[in-house]
Structure formats: C-alpha cells, structure tokens
Amino acid sequence: MRRVRHIFHLGIKELLVLARDLTLALFVLYSFTLDIKTAGEGMSLELRNAAIAIVDEDHSPLSARFFSAFRPPHFLEPAAIPYAETDQALDSARYTFVLVIPPQFQADLLAGRGPSLQLNVDATAISQAYVGAGHIRRIVAEEIGRYLEHRKIAVSAPVDARVRVKYNPNRINEWYDAVIHLLLVITNISVILPATALLREREHGTLDHLLVLPLGAAEIMFAKIWPTCLLVMVAAYGALHLIVQGSFGVPFRGSEVLFFAGTLVYLLATTGIGMMLATVTRSIQQLALLALLVLIPIIFLSGTYTPIESMPRAIQWLTVVSPMRYYVEFSTAVIFRGAGLAVLWPQLVALAVIGSSFFLLSLLRFRAHFASQA
C-alpha cells in the first residue's frame, strides 16, 4: 500500500504539471478535437463536384441523356464544348473529365455495330481521376442500358453485379477517416506524454530529487504512465462522443465498455514505447525525432492506409509486431460492426501479449537507466 500511495501522489503531481503546461495542454486538446475533425473532413476520397464537359458530335436523344445523367454531389453540371477545345480545357484544369460522343453513336449502337466513346481524363488530379473514371463508366453503361430497354431492345449481360453495403450503406469515407484518426491520436499522445514527463524531470533537474527518495524504478515509471492513461481515456471518450459521433454522425454499434477496455490494454504497449524512448534520448527535441522513426513504421504496418493483404509478403510478416494493427482491427470491428468479445478475443490476446512485452521491456530498460543515473 505504501508503494501504491507513492505512485498515486506522484501521478497527481504529473497531472498538476500538465495542467500548468499550457502548450502541452493545448496540444492534447487540439489533437482530440480540431485535428480529428480536420482529418475527417479533409482526407475524403469521395468524388465531389468534379468538373466534366461533354463533346456531343452525335446530337441524338441518347447523347442528350448524358447531360442529365451526371448530377451533384459527384459531378458539376456538364458543359458542352467543341472537340477542338478538349486539350485546352484539360491543360487549363477547367475540367477533369471530357467525354467525347462520336457522330452516329446512337445509330451505330442500335445497328449493333459496337460504337466507342472516348473519355479524356486529367490524371494530375489523381484521386478524382481514378474514382471519377469508374463513376463515369458506370453511369454511361446504366444510361445506355435504360435507353435500350426503353426501345425494347434486349441487352444481355454475362453478370448482373449488385453491391449491397451493410455497415456503411452510403459509403461515407469520413466515418472511417474520423475513427482511424482518433486511433492515431491515441497512439501518438500515449507515446509522447509519458516520455515528455520523464524528460521534463531531467531537464528541470527534479529527476535527481526522485533518485534520492525511497522510490523504486517501477514506482516512478507507473507514476508517469497512469496519468497518461487516465488523460487519454477521458480525452478519447470526449472525442468519440463530441467529434466522431457528434460531428460526423458515426454510429457506434458495439460496446463502449469493450472498446475502452481494449484501449486500456493497447495503452500498455504505447506508454511502454514512450518510456523506452525517454531512456535513450536526452532532450524533447531528440524525442521528437526518434518518435517519428518509431511511430511511422507502427502506423504504416497497421493497415490503416494500405490493407495488409496488399502489402509485399515480407512486409506482411512485420505487421505482427505492430500493436496498432490489432488495435485497428479491434476498434473498427467494435464501432462499425458491433462485434463482441466472442469474435474479437484473438485481437485482445495479441494486444495483451504485445503490450505486456513492450511494457516489461520498457520497465527493464527503465530500471537499467535508473540504476545508471543513481
């Protein structure tokens, strides 16, 4: 109980220091509010307000239908331009897409001669070019199918593909972006805060005071970690309800208790990584540089930006050591699919094993560092 009291009182001191550090407090507040909101709104991969022009050299009822087929919010109202302006329109970035309808397109289609349409794309707008070209192909195919059906002409297709999305029927990318960025913020803050707390003790000279007190390395380490865990859990709870659900309307289909229990297990790993970084750096500036070298691989090996199945085989094997991989799988399953413990226990076990390993390694490293300082 004496050690528990020491850990508790030292942790309270850390919370008071954080409350007095206005810069760090504002950084944490910004990370869990405006940072998540900005990332969710600014990283959308959806096609919105794409500029499209149509070169209509057929002037048929079918070609006229294409002008009304492209509608907001995916496309702006199509503009009619002559073929001679196609290159200039794309080079000046006035339009991202130019659809060219050749002469006699409708007549050739009805005669079964298989006419072709030409789609010119400004590929410098990479995300819109890739997503928009697929949208245009689908819209054109649907419009031709409706026209032929109206003319009582049978259209045979080898496959009738119908996609039904269960958990995000409108395919709103902001839902995923907001949740993923919340997980990124939890990761970054839980690594940086405990490391910063220890380095602050060293820079201010108060670490020497701790060394002469009857405190063990484990007590000092736990006193740096539990305030971080408490702060991150409270901030994550507020961000989840105010930003992720309140601002973006993301439905939380699972158990919040399960989600935060998994988050607490995940914090074992991230705070342990932070304490290890603090023992090998001598200033906050060095910590910032080293944290980049550690956090970037953890994030990119988690599958948040590139699915693990799409990575090279050698890189896929490396993802097993990234605790964020299991945390992302666990969190998205709880939030979006409402999965329970019966489904997610493998991810929790992996988090517990990796988290305990990082935590024990950081404790051993911290004890060695503690002994050298003493």
Side-chain angles (χ1 to χ4, degrees):
M1 292 302 298
R2 179 177 58 86
R3 291 183 176 180
V4 172
R5 286 196 300 270
H6 289 166
I7 293 172
F8 175 76
H9 289 298
L10 284 174
I12 294 297
K13 187 264 295 183
E14 291 299 329
L15 291 176
L16 294 176
V17 170
L18 177 62
R20 295 191 186 102
D21 192 336
L22 182 60
T23 302
L24 193 56
L26 289 177
F27 171 71
V28 174
L29 179 63
Y30 167 79
S31 298
F32 281 99
T33 52
L34 291 178
D35 191 23
I36 298 175
K37 184 172 178 59
T38 303
E41 293 177 346
M43 295 176 61
S44 176
L45 298 178
E46 291 182 349
L47 185 70
R48 288 186 178 177
N49 299 322
I52 182 172
I54 298 178
V55 178
D56 186 4
E57 297 184 331
D58 188 26
H59 302 289
S60 64
L62 176 57
S63 64
R65 295 170 67 105
F66 291 134
F67 283 90
S68 60
F70 300 99
R71 296 185 295 270
H74 298 307
F75 295 94
L76 297 174
E77 183 177 351
I81 63 173
Y83 184 79
E85 294 183 11
T86 300
D87 291 340
Q88 193 274 335
L90 291 172
D91 292 341
S92 63
R94 278 195 297 140
Y95 303 105
T96 307
F97 307 97
V98 176
L99 179 65
V100 180
I101 306 173
Q104 303 299 316
F105 175 74
Q106 176 181 296
D108 291 341
L109 181 67
L110 295 176
R113 287 191 284 268
S116 300
L117 294 173
Q118 183 185 77
L119 178 63
N120 299 281
V121 183
D122 177 12
T124 58
I126 297 176
S127 61
Q128 280 204 336
Y130 177 75
V131 178
H135 275 273
I136 293 173
R137 285 195 297 267
R138 177 181 55 80
I139 291 172
V140 168
E142 290 177 353
E143 205 61 36
I144 292 175
R146 293 192 190 101
Y147 177 76
L148 294 178
E149 183 180 1
H150 178 71
R151 295 291 297 265
K152 308 298 182 183
I153 299 176
V155 180
S156 61
V159 177
D160 182 16
R162 299 184 183 182
V163 178
R164 294 181 175 88
V165 182
K166 182 175 182 180
Y167 299 109
N168 188 357
N170 293 325
R171 293 183 247 192
I172 304 173
N173 286 328
E174 286 86 348
W175 286 9
Y176 179 79
D177 294 337
V179 170
I180 289 300
H181 205 74
L182 172 62
L183 306 184
L184 291 175
V185 169
I186 290 173
T187 302
N188 294 336
I189 295 298
S190 59
V191 169
I192 293 172
L193 277 188
T196 303
L198 182 60
L199 290 174
R200 189 191 301 112
E201 298 276 11
R202 178 185 295 164
E203 290 182 348
H204 293 174
T206 54
L207 183 60
D208 297 331
H209 299 166
L210 294 177
L211 295 177
V212 299
L213 294 176
L215 298 172
E219 294 174 69
I220 297 177
M221 180 174 169
F222 278 106
K224 301 295 182 186
I225 286 177
W226 80 256
T228 297
C229 294
L230 177 62
L231 179 62
V232 169
M233 294 285 279
V234 172
Y237 180 84
L240 181 65
H241 286 275
L242 295 178
I243 306 300
V244 175
Q245 291 183 282
S247 180
F248 293 99
V250 179
F252 198 108
R253 294 188 169 90
S255 168
E256 287 192 20
V257 175
L258 180 61
F259 170 72
F260 285 105
T263 300
L264 187 60
V265 175
Y266 177 62
L267 291 178
L268 286 176
T270 52
T271 54
I273 293 172
M275 294 305 292
M276 278 196 295
L277 295 180
T279 60
V280 298
T281 54
R282 296 191 172 275
S283 67
I284 294 179
Q285 290 80 7
Q286 288 182 358
L287 171 66
L289 294 175
L290 188 58
L292 288 176
L293 297 178
V294 173
L295 287 172
I296 290 177
I298 289 177
I299 292 171
F300 279 99
L301 290 174
S302 66
T304 54
Y305 296 108
T306 302
I308 294 174
E309 296 79 7
S310 301
M311 298 179 182
R313 183 69 62 180
I315 302 299
Q316 290 184 29
W317 285 104
L318 292 177
T319 62
V320 299
V321 300
S322 173
M324 192 176 178
R325 168 191 173 174
Y326 305 101
Y327 184 53
V328 169
E329 293 175 355
F330 168 83
S331 301
T332 53
V334 171
I335 295 174
F336 292 121
R337 298 196 295 273
L341 187 60
V343 175
L344 297 175
W345 68 265
Q347 283 79 10
L348 276 179
V349 170
L351 273 178
V353 171
I354 296 177
S356 300
S357 301
F358 276 115
F359 194 83
L360 291 175
L361 287 173
S362 65
L363 180 58
L364 294 174
R365 171 66 190 173
F366 189 74
R367 279 178 174 170
H369 178 74
F370 188 86
S372 65
Q373 291 292 322

